[in-house]
Structure formats: C-alpha cells, structure tokens
Amino acid sequence: MNKNKFRNLLRSADASIPCDTVFTGGKVLSVFSGVLEDVTFAVTDGMIVGFGESYESNHVVDLKGKIVVPGLIDSHIHIESTLATPKEFSKAAIRHGITTVIMDPHEIGNVLGTKGLDFMLESSKNLPVTFQMMLPSCVPATIHETSGAILRAEDLAPYYEDHRVSGLAEMMDLTGVKTTRDDVLQKLMDAKKHRKTLDGHGAGLSDMDNNLYRVAGISTDHECTTVEEAKDRLSKGFYVHIREGSVAKNFDTLLPVVNKNNHHRFTFCTDDIYIDDLYENGSIDTMIRKAIASGLDPIDAIKMATLNPATCYHLQDLGAVAPGYQADFVVLKNLESFHIHSVYQKGHCVFQEEEVIFPYKNHPLPALPRTVTLKKLTLEDLSMVSGTGILHVIEILSNSLLTNHLVLETPINQEVNIGPMADLAKLFVMERHGNHGNMGKGIVKGFKMKSGAVATTIAHDSHNLVALGVNDEDLLVAVRRIEEIGGGLVLVENKKILAELPLEIGGLMSSAPLEEITEKLHKVREMEKMLFDELDFNPFLTLSFLTLPVIPTLKITDKGLFDTNQQTFITFDEEVQQ
C-alpha cells in the first residue's frame, strides 16, 4: 500500500472525506463478540473503514434488514482437482459465498514444478476470490512414484516474498521429518523463518508422529477421519480442518467433537472437489447449513468458516466484518438457513440473486507445455497371469481415501479372472511425464465395474496415467485416447468412446468455460452408469486416490503395488510370507 492510499483510508475512517460506499439497514454479525448488531458501515478502496452514522457517500446501499456475515474461506483446496482454472472456479465459488481459498498447487507442481506454481499465481489474479497459496512441500510426494518435477527448498524459498503465499502445504513426508533429511528440514525452517503456517497431512500418523509434527512447527491437519484422531490433534494444538469434498467426507464423523470450548480450533475445507459438485451443491456454505441443522450454534459455525481459517493462516485483514478488514462479506436472507442473497468482494457486489455480476475481463492463460508422453502400449502389456495362485487386491472403501489389502486365490498360470461376478477389475498406472515409461499392475475390488474401461491423468500425487477396466481392448482405446487429447477423463465400452473431458492444462485442468466443463462432467456421470453398477461414490476421484502411497493400506504407483504398512513394493501375485 502506498502512502497516498493509506492517507486516503485514514481520512475516510475519521469521516474527513466521503467514502466509496456506505451500507446501511443491515444486521452485522460480529465474529468477535458473537452478536448481531444494527450497524451502518463504510467502505473505501475495498476496506471497511468504520461503523456509524457519520459516514457520507454518493453510493449508499440499503440492506433492508438482511444479515451481513464475513466472506467464507475454504481452508484447504487443490484448485486443480476442480478440473477448472481459477477464473472458472471463482464463478462457482462466489455463488456460494466463498471469497477466499487457501490453495495448494501440489498437483500441478508435481507435473510442472515452478512453472505450475507460476501458472497458478498468475491465473488467479484479479478475480472475485482471494487465492492464497501454500507452497507444495512434497514434490514428489514420495520416492515410491515418478513425478514430472522436483521442488527443492531452494526452489520454494523465493516465493515467500509474495504476499499471496501463506505457508508450506501439507507435509506428508513423515520419513523425511523423522530422519531429519536436510531438504525437508530446510523447507520447514524457511516457512518458520517467514512466520508462515505449516500444514500437516496426518493420514495414518500415530500419536507419537504428531508429537514430532508439532515440534516441527506443523499446526494443521485435514486428514482426521475419526473422533480419536481429531481429539488427539486438538490436545496438541493443531487446527483441525473438517473435510467434505467429492470423495473424502469426514463432516458427519468429526462435527460431534466441536463444542463451545474448542470450536475456535476447527475450520471447514474441501481438499478435492469437482467443479460441478461445487457449482450445484456448494461446499463451505453447505457445511455451515449442515452444522446448524446438527445443533451447532450458527455463529460458531460461521466463525469456523471465516475468522478461524483467517487466524490460522495469519490473514489479518480477512475473516471479519469490521474496520480495517477487507470488505468481503455475504448478505443473507436468514442466518439459520444461510440463504445467500448477495456476495461482496472488496466492497463490490460480485453475486446477487442467483446472478454472477463480476465484470470478468480478458483473462489470458499463461502457456504451458504438453505433459502426456507414453511408452507404446500393446494388448500383451495388459495381460495379468498369476504364477503363484495368489492375488494381492486393493479393496476400495466407499467415500474414503483408505483401502484394504486383500489376499485372494486364483488359478496358477492363467489370466486373472476379472469382471462383475468377482467384482474385480484390472488397474494400471503408467508413467506419463516422458521419463522411463514404467507401468504398475494391480487388481482392485469394490468398483462394481460391469464392462468397459476408464482412464485419467488425475492420479494423486504424481499424476501419472491411471486406467481401470474389465476389457483389455477397451483399456487400450482409453489409454491411447488420453494421450491424444493431452490428458483428462475418458470412458470406453466396446472400443467406443462414451464420454471424455480433455484436461489439457497439465493433464489436470480444462481451459474451457465453467458451463462447458459442467456439461461434459454431466455426460461423464451419465456414462459412468453404463460401466459401473450401484454407484454410491465418485469412481474417477476414487480411482485417482488409489495411486497415493502415503495413505493406508495398499496403493499402486507406476513402480507397482505398495504396501503402506510394510513400506515396501509387492507384485500382484507375490507369495505371502509365513
């Protein structure tokens, strides 16, 4: 802020000069006192400069008795997982009162390194949502997979000079912290030196592991899935981000832990959510409604979505409607129903009565290279024969990132019997970054796949190509089509493409408008019913997390099946050790 702007704000604050806008006739929720107050407030240069009747302006907005609450904050989200660019994401977000997100560009960082981080910073400027970035701490996430890039401490350090960088994102390298590996320690120390927030990733971590993380300076966890885990994190001073995304849904389990004594240490987040899910069903606003319906005090629920994440991430001018805060707020028809009438960002109305009214200008996207390069694939490569009569099988759990490790019997030296009768499907992960073309093979149970094949380049965390199918010819068609379109989602049956969504930006995001992405996702949803039976989960998002070897129990990468309990690779037909 320059001196002239600062002077202008101060003169507006003491009513020496007119303000840009005066808002009158509303009831403002104070997240500090926890009460609703009949307050007139004034805004200049995007900041709330004061409460009271002394302010004048040529622009007066009569709120007609409606309720004003702070703009909502998603405390942890991977924008890439929405499949849309920040611009198109913002069109869906502001409809639901979200004016700030804490984004972790971990996905595009794994594909494109610093080019990906620069893309996210540049493409998220000048939008009706404030995008704060956390720097990806683990690129690659582990040594157990092949990523498209490596981000070392020295690569991340310069980004701390950007005011939009809020800290170090989800630390999932427990081994690196335990063994005090130099680069991991440097990343932690750099974040601490700049007084930034350090995010955790506590999936599968023991009580002792979380002692270690707190001493390292890590202060958040969005991976709590049980009451016991949430209580452990609270007792050690973590912020607990209650997650409700398109796959991982922990809200119902964790909300009962929240009470008057501890609600200030809870926030809401989505982590991974598809853009159509956000657009049609909401996210943080929906969690507020569910919390209120479950008996939580509405004011406490709103604090969890506003002041708490702002405090957690040291966003000193966000999270409240008060003098000195950015004028990001939501106007409600009713507090308990959280019915959104309009949304303001920096004092300007960006959404009102079901219509986005932000003046989107030409917003060119920075150029990025093509990111899908595959080794030539044949039908023979897809053959799976057990030489031991043993099958190590990944069993998925509905709406969970966790999996089970099953051991089944199968005829020796015969093609594995897959299909709907056994509820088994083939699973492949193919290195797609142009390095060596490794391919991991596995079997998965629980998808209820009855025909065809699907493939995608969304495969956390290194985002290699992952393919699932019960027909080898369909698998081959799906994989080849993914390479042709530069990444995305593809569904195939009888060697015909049923639906697809090209994701040409890093194999993760589409440059298309929100409406077009949503339409294609609807087509994907429709065609999923042709291939899967009794769908009660999102198959593509579930598939994309089977490649994450930091979450228990059995996962798969381009290097093969990985047993997270034993921290070792196994073959799909490896003999069981007695």
Side-chain angles (χ1 to χ4, degrees), residues 557-568:
T557 77
D558 63 299
K559 297 181 180 182
L561 284 174
F562 188 74
D563 184 331
T564 66
N565 287 340
Q566 302 300 319
Q567 287 291 296
T568 186

Side-chain angles (χ1 to χ4, degrees), residues 32-53:
F32 305 115
S33 64
V35 299
L36 282 169
E37 301 173 309
D38 293 320
V39 171
T40 292
F41 61 98
V43 173
T44 292
D45 285 336
M47 179 184 285
I48 299 172
V49 293
F51 288 171
E53 304 296 332

Side-chain angles (χ1 to χ4, degrees), residues 201-212:
H201 188 281
L205 268 61
S206 69
D207 292 353
M208 286 297 292
D209 294 335
N210 281 296
N211 292 337
L212 176 72

Side-chain angles (χ1 to χ4, degrees), residues 137-138 153 168 171 173-190:
S137 65
C138 301
L168 189 68
M171 174 53 70
D173 189 355
L174 173 63
T175 301
V177 179
K178 274 188 171 182
T179 59
T180 64
R181 198 165 64 240
D182 281 349
D183 194 59
V184 172
L185 290 191
Q186 193 62 53
K187 289 175 181 176
L188 295 169
M189 291 171 66
D190 285 347

Side-chain angles (χ1 to χ4, degrees), residues 105 108-109 111-121 133 159 368:
I108 200 166
V111 177
L112 288 164
T114 56
K115 288 182 181 178
L117 306 192
D118 293 342
F119 175 88
M120 295 305 290
L121 280 171
M133 178 185 283
Y159 287 92
L368 288 176

Side-chain angles (χ1 to χ4, degrees), residues 293-369:
S294 298
L296 193 67
D297 185 308
I299 295 174
D300 292 346
I302 292 168
K303 286 182 183 179
M304 290 167 62
T306 56
L307 183 63
N308 293 4
T311 303
C312 174
Y313 290 99
H314 309 295
L315 304 176
Q316 296 179 349
D317 61 346
L318 298 176
V321 180
Y325 283 77
Q326 186 166 298
D328 294 359
F329 54 89
V330 180
V331 180
L332 303 174
K333 293 182 178 180
N334 179 278
L335 188 65
E336 285 72 21
S337 68
F338 210 80
H339 186 153
I340 296 174
H341 172 269
S342 51
V343 178
Y344 286 77
Q345 191 229 19
K346 297 181 180 178
H348 299 288
C349 187
V350 294
F351 173 79
Q352 185 166 335
E353 295 186 302
E354 305 304 319
E355 183 181 357
V356 173
I357 55 179
F358 180 78
Y360 285 96
K361 299 177 181 178
N362 186 27
H363 203 267
L365 294 172
L368 288 176

Side-chain angles (χ1 to χ4, degrees), residues 76 104 106 134-141 156 168-178 181 183-189 191 197-203 205 210 212-213 216-223 238 461 550:
H76 177 73
D104 173 8
H106 177 85
M134 301 294 284
L135 299 176
S137 65
C138 301
V139 175
L156 300 179
L168 189 68
E170 47 189 23
M171 174 53 70
M172 58 185 72
D173 189 355
L174 173 63
T175 301
V177 179
K178 274 188 171 182
R181 198 165 64 240
D183 194 59
V184 172
L185 290 191
Q186 193 62 53
K187 289 175 181 176
L188 295 169
M189 291 171 66
T197 301
L198 285 72
D199 278 344
H201 188 281
L205 268 61
N210 281 296
L212 176 72
Y213 265 34
I218 294 166
S219 60
T220 79
D221 190 8
H222 61 276
E223 292 288 345
F238 286 88
D461 275 325
V550 296

Side-chain angles (χ1 to χ4, degrees), residues 243-309:
R243 174 177 57 187
E244 192 81 351
S246 291
V247 165
K249 299 179 183 294
N250 310 126
F251 180 94
D252 290 341
T253 300
L254 300 184
L255 190 70
V257 183
V258 182
N259 59 47
K260 278 289 182 184
N261 294 324
N262 64 25
H263 72 269
H264 62 287
R265 302 299 288 188
F266 284 92
T267 77
F268 295 128
C269 79
T270 54
D271 198 5
D272 298 279
I273 187 170
Y274 272 166
I275 193 68
D276 63 331
D277 194 356
L278 170 61
Y279 179 77
E280 295 165 4
N281 302 315
S283 61
I284 307 302
D285 59 323
T286 302
M287 283 185 254
I288 291 173
R289 293 186 197 98
K290 286 180 65 178
I292 294 171
S294 298
L296 193 67
D297 185 308
I299 295 174
D300 292 346
I302 292 168
K303 286 182 183 179
M304 290 167 62
T306 56
L307 183 63
N308 293 4

